[in-house]
Amino acid sequence: MLDIHQVLDDKDCWIPEIPALPEVSSNIYKNIVATLSTVQYQQKCISRFQRAIGVDTETNDDFGTVQDDIRWSKFYNFSAFLKKDFPLVHQHLQLERVNCHGLLYTWKPASERDQDTHFSKPFVLMAHQDTVPVSNKSLAEWKYDPFEGHVDKSGIIYGRGAHDDKNSLISIMEAVELLLKNHFQPKRTVVLAFGFDEEVSGKRGAFEISQVLEQRYGKHGIEFILDEGPGIIDPVAPGGKVAYATVATSEKGYLDVLIEAKGLGGHSSLAGKHTLIGIMAEMIVALETKDPLAPRVSRDSPVIEFLSCQNFSTRDVPLLLRRIRKGDIDAEYDLGLLLQNTSLAVLSRTSQAIDLISGGQKINALPERVSVGINYRIAPGLSLKDIKARITSILEPIAMKYNMTSFFFGSQESVSCSDSELCISQVGKALEPAKMSPQNTKAYSVVFGSVSSALNPIFTETLNVESLVVVPTLMAGNTDTRHFWNLTQNLFRFRPTRIDIRNNGGHTVNEHIYVDDHFASIQFYSSLILRASAM
């Protein structure tokens, strides 16, 4: 297994330049940091966070439209909580409701002359109100009531949404409230965009908000967008002296595929050599064994920069990185192979997950229909077309072997899915891997510099390390930023909190963050707003 050491001696590691704050903003920031350290503020702050966790904003895949499904009405309770607990935000920022529950706050400069409308584009801070549901079957596995926001003796707060994504949302609101208390006025427009259905694709919330922003500011009319993402990770090697703040500057692509097979039923005593389930099993095995999706670290992946900030026990990695930068595709696969048994493997491969299967109705009746659902997360270097071509090349010979009329992704004009014995189709909207945010921009320096300046002092002490290095990385999942590609090329995904090996219990039982990380998040968003306003 590849040994990773936390030593930063590679000259290719990019260190962000931290933009200086104007004197007035610097003084405001110092006041906010001092406020965050007071017991009185911390108690009130955590109480507000607990109340946010206590408001049920669970969503499920079977939710209908906002207009037709009454279950969405619970989000009125959350927006009422925000209005009550953050009065200055609601007094000074313009609030628009998008599709009933999307919350779009706009913080404009005090006067038009404070902002050059031609050169100073707005920036957007995003989070989502909704959470995944708590299963009744798993309630007994929770240490505490998932809607209580209980803080244990270790300073960890538990609750549904504590990590994903109410910490980010409430921290943004806390930061703006503190900035307003300190009489801060931005020099450019600040937009807060809070969707309400990220966990079920974001079509009703973030997508609708993106349409409003595009109509208002135009394509590429936003300076940068920051949404949820990865966060602070401990040193990989025991006793390591460097921790990492990982900011995702790209996301994997996304594709759902449905394989449906149908045939004549009948009594099981009349079965031939293969039933539909047997044939489908052969297809599944083929997809998992033939022409495997080789791990690869593409030149178009931010993982290149992430690896450049680490030192390895072998010089193979730095040499491969330099070959990749020169356009050597073989080196991309060699590096992927080298990383395949490390904790970084998930960032170097396209995943294929066969997640759903159904078929048959009775033990003594031949199955008439069998279906399989597959999810793909596509790493940079591959495309939707590549994945579909691979599926077709593997399954088409099997269909021919069993004389099945087949339909592959709408490519055959002579047959339709409904008329075929085997139908392979795309489910829902698919995504290509997101383009990397360009590194040589002011927005990049402001985001990365804000992470470094605000969080380095906090987490070097908390984690007992010598430094916190801010590095770009690849997001394995997808965020609401997928709906904002038209608005800016500067898309960043980051959580200013520690992320453990189980993702802080996100999407499962005992979701949690450290209380101190909530305060750190507020400090980070305050720093970012101040620096972005001055850029």
Side-chain angles (χ1 to χ4, degrees):
M1 182 174 178
L2 190 65
D3 184 22
I4 302 175
H5 298 283
Q6 306 299 298
V7 180
L8 298 180
D9 61 0
D10 195 303
K11 65 180 182 180
D12 291 324
C13 179
W14 177 81
I15 305 297
E17 178 183 350
I18 302 175
L21 279 175
E23 184 178 358
V24 173
S25 295
S26 179
N27 290 334
I28 289 174
Y29 182 64
K30 290 176 183 177
N31 289 340
I32 289 175
V33 173
T35 299
L36 285 168
S37 66
T38 64
V39 174
Q40 182 181 16
Y41 175 81
Q42 290 181 354
Q43 289 175 341
K44 292 181 178 179
C45 178
I46 290 304
S47 179
R48 284 189 288 269
F49 190 26
Q50 289 172 321
R51 288 197 291 276
I53 292 171
V55 180
D56 174 16
T57 55
E58 299 168 289
T59 56
N60 226 325
D61 291 334
D62 64 349
F63 276 30
T65 65
V66 173
Q67 292 72 26
D68 297 332
D69 196 328
I70 195 172
R71 289 176 291 180
W72 291 110
S73 63
K74 68 175 74 174
F75 284 87
Y76 285 120
N77 298 329
F78 192 74
S79 59
F81 152 74
L82 293 178
K83 184 176 182 180
K84 179 181 178 182
D85 278 48
F86 299 100
L88 291 180
V89 173
H90 289 82
Q91 179 182 340
H92 293 276
L93 276 64
Q94 176 189 353
L95 170 60
E96 299 170 82
R97 289 184 172 275
V98 179
N99 198 16
C100 294
H101 302 299
L103 303 179
L104 184 62
Y105 293 88
T106 304
W107 190 4
K108 295 182 179 180
S111 64
E112 288 299 324
R113 66 174 178 271
D114 287 338
Q115 172 172 274
D116 187 326
T117 56
H118 180 70
F119 294 105
S120 298
K121 296 177 181 179
F123 63 93
V124 180
L125 303 181
M126 292 174 58
H128 61 87
Q129 306 167 61
D130 59 309
T131 72
V132 296
V134 174
S135 169
N136 290 330
K137 295 179 180 179
S138 68
L139 276 174
E141 299 175 44
W142 281 80
K143 294 180 181 179
Y144 309 101
D145 184 332
F147 297 101
E148 179 185 350
H150 180 86
V151 180
D152 72 5
K153 293 180 181 179
S154 301
I156 297 174
I157 183 168
Y158 290 84
R160 177 55 79 226
H163 167 69
D164 187 10
D165 186 33
K166 288 182 178 178
N167 172 68
S168 294
L169 192 154
I170 298 303
S171 297
I172 292 170
M173 296 293 281
E174 291 278 359
V176 174
E177 190 84 1
L178 284 172
L179 288 166
L180 288 166
K181 284 182 179 178
N182 283 272
H183 310 292
F184 172 71
Q185 287 290 342
K187 296 296 184 183
R188 67 170 70 220
T189 297
V190 182
V191 176
L192 314 179
F194 302 146
F196 60 94
D197 67 335
E198 192 275 343
E199 301 295 359
V200 288
S201 82
K203 293 179 182 178
R204 307 168 188 85
F207 173 75
E208 295 293 339
I209 290 173
S210 73
Q211 298 306 292
V212 172
L213 293 179
E214 185 173 337
Q215 184 176 17
R216 182 168 299 162
Y217 300 111
K219 288 189 176 181
H220 310 295
I222 298 297
E223 186 65 45
F224 72 84
I225 294 173
L226 177 69
D227 195 9
E228 63 174 329
I232 312 298
I233 57 175
D234 289 341
V236 177
K241 292 301 180 182
V242 176
Y244 291 95
T246 54
V247 182
T249 57
S250 177
E251 291 182 353
K252 285 187 175 181
Y254 184 98
L255 173 65
D256 285 331
V257 172
L258 181 65
I259 304 175
E260 299 173 285
K262 62 183 179 181
L264 296 175
H267 198 280
S268 59
S269 63
L270 303 177
K273 188 175 181 180
H274 300 284
T275 68
L276 277 182
I277 291 176
I279 294 171
M280 187 67 79
E282 183 177 339
M283 292 180 178
I284 292 172
V285 171
L287 286 170
E288 291 196 337
T289 56
K290 291 185 178 180
D291 188 20
L293 295 161
R296 174 187 182 186
V297 181
S298 168
R299 186 182 182 182
D300 297 326
S301 172
V303 177
I304 296 292
E305 303 303 326
F306 176 78
L307 294 173
S308 296
C309 288
Q310 302 194 41
N311 192 42
F312 297 83
S313 58
T314 170
R315 295 301 297 171
D316 290 346
V317 174
L319 291 173
L320 287 170
L321 289 172
R322 288 178 173 84
R323 285 173 54 194
I324 291 170
R325 286 192 172 97
K326 293 178 181 179
D328 188 336
I329 294 180
D330 289 339
E332 296 182 356
Y333 287 101
D334 290 343
L335 182 54
L337 191 64
L338 199 60
L339 298 175
Q340 67 177 345
N341 293 320
T342 74
S343 59
L344 304 177
V346 68
L347 301 180
S348 64
R349 66 171 182 254
T350 292
S351 62
Q352 172 186 261
I354 298 172
D355 292 326
L356 298 172
I357 186 166
S358 66
Q361 294 181 334
K362 201 171 184 296
I363 191 66
N364 63 347
L366 296 174
E368 297 176 350
R369 294 179 182 272
V370 181
S371 64
V372 167
I374 310 174
N375 174 256
Y376 291 89
R377 302 296 175 122
I378 307 166
L382 289 177
S383 66
L384 294 171
K385 183 179 179 180
D386 294 330
I387 300 301
K388 291 179 179 180
R390 174 183 176 271
I391 294 170
T392 301
S393 67
I394 292 173
L395 298 188
E396 196 167 39
I398 299 175
M400 293 175 64
K401 173 182 174 181
Y402 294 106
N403 296 316
M404 301 175 76
T405 57
S406 56
F407 177 91
F408 288 88
F409 302 108
S411 60
Q412 301 94 322
E413 296 181 359
S414 59
V415 296
S416 66
C417 187
S418 59
D419 294 331
S420 302
E421 294 170 297
L422 178 68
C423 177
I424 291 86
S425 59
Q426 173 183 312
V427 180
K429 184 179 179 181
L431 289 172
E432 297 283 2
K435 291 183 179 180
M436 273 196 302
S437 301
Q439 196 173 85
N440 58 340
T441 64
K442 287 184 178 180
Y444 205 106
S445 292
V446 164
V447 172
F448 278 63
S450 296
V451 174
S452 181
S453 63
L455 301 182
N456 187 70
I458 296 171
F459 287 106
T460 50
E461 180 179 351
T462 301
L463 299 174
N464 190 28
V465 294
E466 294 176 357
S467 62
L468 176 73
V469 178
V470 190
V471 292
T473 191
L474 176 67
M475 188 87 177
N478 297 109
T479 65
D480 271 340
T481 58
R482 76 188 91 168
H483 302 296
F484 290 76
W485 289 3
N486 281 347
L487 286 163
T488 182
Q489 61 180 346
N490 301 312
L491 289 161
F492 306 98
R493 306 146 187 94
F494 176 67
R495 282 190 176 96
T497 61
R498 282 168 278 183
I499 309 293
D500 62 28
I501 196 169
R502 294 185 62 252
N503 194 35
N504 293 29
H507 288 221
T508 185
V509 300
N510 298 317
E511 184 177 352
H512 64 276
I513 66 165
Y514 284 93
V515 165
D516 286 346
D517 289 10
H518 186 57
F519 305 139
S521 299
I522 299 167
Q523 186 165 322
F524 162 69
Y525 287 115
S526 299
S527 173
L528 178 60
I529 293 170
L530 289 166
R531 293 179 194 280
S533 177
M535 66 186 285

